[in-house]
Amino acid sequence: RHAPADIDTARLAWAGRIVDEYRSVSMFSELLRLLSDLEAPYPALCTVHRLIGDELRHTELTARVVDWLGGHADLAIDLADCGLAPRGPDESAIDRALMIVARELVVGEQESIYALAAYRDATTEPAIKGVLELVLLDEVRHAAAGRALFSLLADDETRESFATLM
C-alpha cells in the first residue's frame, strides 16, 4: 500500500532513531553514575534509573519498527561511543550532571514531544502509531523529570551539600 521508496525512507528514519534512543541510554547512565557519586536523594536515583529502562525499551521498539519495514541487515547502525566526550579535569560532577539534565532532559526530551506528536498524528499505520504513542507518553514524563532534577541540582543549598562530597 506504500511505495517502496517511502518504506525505505521510513526504515532509514527509524534506524536513526535507534541511535538516538541508545544515545539517551548512554547519557542517562552517565547521569546515574554522577548522581550516585554525589549521593543524590533516592527518588532522584530511581527517576534516572527508570529513564534508562525507558530508553532501552525505546531502542528495542525502534529496532522492531525497522524490522517491520524491511530490517537492518544492509544498514550500518553503530551504537559505540554514543555518549559525551569524557568529563574535563575542571568540570565538577554537579556541573556535568546539571549540563546533562538541562541539555538532554529539559531541552531534548521536551523538544522531542512536539516532533513525536507530529509524527504520530501523521502516521497512518496503526502499529507504528502505537509505538510513537508509547514513546511520546514516556517523553512527556521524561521532560517533567528533567525539570524536577534541574530544580534539585540548580538549588544553591543542594549544590553546597554536593560540593562537600566531591
Side-chain angles (χ1 to χ4, degrees):
R1 123 180 178 183
H2 298 286
D6 292 340
I7 293 171
D8 202 47
T9 298
R11 185 174 68 98
L12 292 173
W14 279 94
R17 285 223 47 98
I18 293 170
V19 176
D20 292 342
E21 297 296 345
Y22 195 78
R23 181 180 177 281
S24 292
V25 171
S26 178
M27 296 289 176
F28 300 155
S29 294
E30 179 179 355
L31 178 60
L32 181 60
R33 185 187 53 74
L34 290 165
L35 293 178
S36 295
D37 290 349
L38 291 166
E39 298 179 18
Y42 179 73
L45 297 173
C46 289
T47 296
V48 176
H49 187 267
R50 178 157 184 198
L51 295 174
I52 294 166
D54 289 347
E55 296 298 342
L56 283 167
R57 185 169 35 84
H58 297 173
T59 303
E60 193 276 329
L61 286 168
T62 55
R64 188 177 303 169
V65 173
V66 171
D67 288 342
W68 294 341
L69 296 169
H72 62 276
D74 62 332
L75 302 176
I77 300 173
D78 184 6
L79 301 179
D81 299 320
C82 286
L84 295 169
R87 182 169 57 146
D90 296 330
E91 186 178 20
S92 70
I94 184 93
D95 288 339
R96 177 74 163 208
L98 189 59
M99 182 273 299
I100 292 171
V101 168
R103 190 169 93 178
E104 303 300 326
L105 286 167
V106 174
V107 175
E109 298 290 297
Q110 182 67 42
E111 286 300 314
S112 72
I113 292 169
Y114 302 109
L116 289 168
Y119 298 152
R120 179 207 54 204
D121 294 345
T123 299
T124 59
E125 291 298 321
I128 293 176
K129 188 180 280 278
V131 169
L132 288 165
E133 185 66 31
L134 286 171
V135 174
L136 176 59
L137 289 172
D138 286 345
E139 299 298 290
V140 169
R141 190 171 26 78
H142 295 182
R147 291 187 298 274
L149 287 167
F150 187 86
S151 293
L152 172 73
L153 295 172
D155 177 72
D156 289 337
E157 188 175 311
T158 302
R159 288 179 66 81
E160 281 182 32
S161 69
F162 284 162
T164 62
L165 297 170
M166 298 309 280

